[in-house]
Amino acid sequence: MKDHANIGKFQDPYVTAKGEDRAHVALENPQTLWFNTGTLCNIECENCYILSSPTNDALVYLTADEVSDYLDQLDSRKWGVKEIAFTGGEPFMNPEMIEMAKRSLERGYEVLILTNAMLPMQRKRVKEGLLALKSYGDKLTFRISVDHWSEDLHDKERGKGSFAKTVQGMQWLRDNGFQMAVAGRTVWGETDTDSRKGYAELFLKYDFNIDAYNPGTTVLFPEMDEKVEVPEITTACWGILDKSPTQVMCSNSRMVVKHKGADTPSVIACTLLPYEPEFDMGPTLEDAERPVQLNHPHCAKFCVLGGASCSA
């Protein structure tokens, strides 16, 4: 999906609009395999990059058996992945979320679950399932979506009452000894220092054991506005920016999704581009070992220039 702001750009996967060689990123050191559990969500945020909502099933629910198949592939391909991460949609909408996490933990992986900690996670059956995973201790982390440290701005993005329900879920996780992190947004124009100070005060208020000043535990994501013009990344940019391709997310991660109507899941080059056909690398991890051409505005704005990563 190419926006008019970047017309003429991001067309050829190998050559930029100016005729220069487009940068690419090899899979050098895979550390995280993401699973998108499905795009259905209990809420609809104002600026959801994946358009999750109570009605969007463009990405359908993955099953635990499908996750196990990719865990087997990790063994056979010897990727060396340390972390299995689950995102959505809201992962706890998926009825097999607990089983998917359990199978990943049983294999010895660290597990990260991105959640809004609202009512889907707070159902009795889900809580019972999570309590059964407590024995894995800090191998299991919940990254909670708290878009802003203030209730008003969080609710502006996620709907009135969302903040209170999320805090309620976080209090349950706290009281039961689960490890938490937080994902926020930088859309409100605060400095990083001011934003982290606000989160620190929030965590202190509710006695949440989360470090607001650690970018790995309080992750602040820039907004991905495709209406903004961004430069294309050429092979020369690495030297100009004094940056290595190994610092870009697609050098160390892939994401498994299942498109509605598809017979099998497929592996996507980037967690941010689940709907872009050219970033769908095929059904197997072997297919996904080829380099990724940085042929999308997100590659430039979010990853290369912004330096963001979905992993801790």
Side-chain angles (χ1 to χ4, degrees):
M1 181 166 46
K2 318 294 192 230
D3 192 86
H4 64 83
N6 294 291
I7 193 161
K9 297 180 179 181
F10 305 104
Q11 301 298 315
D12 187 308
Y14 299 98
V15 181
T16 69
K18 292 182 178 180
E20 298 170 291
D21 290 338
R22 185 179 304 285
H24 64 273
V25 173
L27 184 68
E28 294 279 353
N29 183 29
Q31 294 294 299
T32 303
L33 182 61
W34 288 85
F35 290 94
N36 188 297
T37 61
T39 40
L40 286 174
C41 188
N42 55 304
I43 57 175
E44 186 170 3
C45 298
E46 255 187 24
N47 296 294
C48 179
Y49 82 96
I50 203 170
L51 305 177
S52 297
S53 76
T55 58
N56 180 14
D57 61 351
L59 301 181
V60 297
Y61 288 153
L62 286 175
T63 68
D65 286 345
E66 287 167 338
V67 168
S68 290
D69 175 64
Y70 283 97
L71 299 181
D72 291 341
Q73 290 183 51
L74 284 176
D75 291 340
S76 63
R77 301 305 301 173
K78 297 180 170 53
W79 274 23
V81 157
K82 294 181 173 61
E83 177 186 60
I84 301 299
F86 296 93
T87 184
E90 167 52 47
F92 289 106
M93 297 280 285
N94 186 314
E96 298 192 35
M97 182 63 250
I98 299 295
E99 182 64 20
M100 291 187 284
K102 178 184 176 185
R103 294 188 188 188
S104 302
L105 289 162
E106 286 174 342
R107 300 277 192 118
Y109 293 106
E110 295 177 11
V111 168
L112 175 67
I113 303 176
L114 277 57
T115 176
N116 56 40
M118 294 172 71
L119 298 184
M121 192 202 77
Q122 294 180 43
R123 288 174 293 171
K124 181 181 178 182
R125 177 186 63 80
V126 174
K127 285 182 175 179
E128 289 172 350
L130 291 176
L131 291 173
L133 300 179
K134 274 191 66 176
S135 61
Y136 292 98
D138 62 6
K139 298 282 279 187
L140 174 62
T141 300
F142 298 83
R143 184 189 289 168
I144 317 299
S145 298
V146 182
D147 284 334
H148 194 263
W149 49 265
S150 73
E151 183 171 4
D152 287 347
L153 288 181
H154 177 92
D155 281 4
K156 181 179 184 300
E157 175 68 27
R158 292 183 171 254
K160 188 172 177 58
S162 297
F163 186 86
K165 291 174 184 174
T166 289
V167 167
Q168 183 183 45
M170 294 176 72
Q171 289 172 316
W172 183 86
L173 291 169
R174 176 204 64 197
D175 292 346
N176 287 280
F178 288 105
Q179 183 165 270
M180 289 188 290
V182 154
R185 299 184 186 227
T186 61
V187 66
W188 292 280
E190 292 176 327
T191 66
D192 184 82
T193 300
D194 287 344
S195 185
R196 293 188 184 280
K197 180 176 182 289
Y199 280 104
E201 291 171 354
L202 172 68
F203 301 156
L204 181 63
K205 176 180 178 180
Y206 290 103
D207 193 24
F208 294 148
N209 184 24
I210 305 170
D211 184 352
Y213 297 98
N214 180 345
T217 54
T218 301
V219 191
L220 301 181
F221 290 108
E223 213 59 23
M224 293 175 290
D225 187 352
E226 291 187 27
K227 297 187 289 297
V228 175
E229 184 176 5
V230 295
E232 295 184 282
I233 304 300
T234 69
T235 53
C237 287
W238 303 122
I240 295 168
L241 297 169
D242 191 24
K243 189 161 188 171
S244 167
T246 59
Q247 296 172 267
V248 180
M249 189 166 59
C250 53
S251 74
N252 56 57
S253 70
R254 294 288 187 265
M255 182 170 74
V256 176
V257 307
K258 190 170 185 180
H259 295 283
K260 187 175 183 178
D263 294 330
T264 63
S266 56
V267 187
I268 306 298
C270 175
T271 59
L272 309 178
L273 299 169
Y275 302 130
E276 302 288 351
E278 75 180 87
F279 289 89
D280 189 324
M281 306 189 82
T284 71
L285 295 187
E286 183 177 6
D287 295 325
E289 289 172 355
R290 68 180 187 272
V292 178
Q293 300 300 125
L294 301 185
N295 191 31
H296 193 280
H298 288 351
C299 303
K301 183 174 186 291
F302 193 74
C303 292
V304 177
L305 301 176
S309 171
C310 287
S311 296

